[in-house]
Amino acid sequence: MRPALQIFLSGCLTFGVPLLLALRELHALRRHGGDGGWGPDPKPAPETHPKPLPPCLLVAFQPVGKPSETARARELELV
């Protein structure tokens, strides 16, 4: 292999392949926008409603009741 051909092929691998990959990604980004610009997608995002909690989680989030009024209050003992 001639030295000039080896230098050319080495340059293509070093600079050509990453350049081609970058151009492909740039093309994909421009195509995704729809209008050819760099702006966000013009379609509005669909509204998503939160799913209801399953019954097993509803029990965990119920408010805790107050202690019963009839429970005796603890009194301090003198030692």
Side-chain angles (χ1 to χ4, degrees):
M1 185 182 293
R2 295 186 324 210
L5 181 61
Q6 184 175 358
I7 291 172
F8 175 74
L9 291 177
S10 175
C12 287
L13 279 177
T14 304
F15 300 109
V17 172
L19 184 64
L20 285 176
L21 290 174
L23 289 175
R24 188 188 71 139
E25 290 295 323
L26 183 65
H27 178 70
L29 283 174
R30 286 185 159 256
R31 184 179 50 184
H32 177 67
D35 60 349
W38 294 99
D41 201 10
K43 295 177 275 185
E47 290 186 29
T48 57
H49 301 289
K51 294 180 180 178
L53 290 175
C56 62
L57 290 178
L58 289 177
V59 174
F61 290 117
Q62 289 180 352
V64 179
K66 294 181 182 177
S68 66
E69 305 267 338
T70 60
R72 290 191 308 158
R74 294 181 64 184
E75 295 178 16
L76 294 176
E77 263 185 39
L78 293 176
V79 190

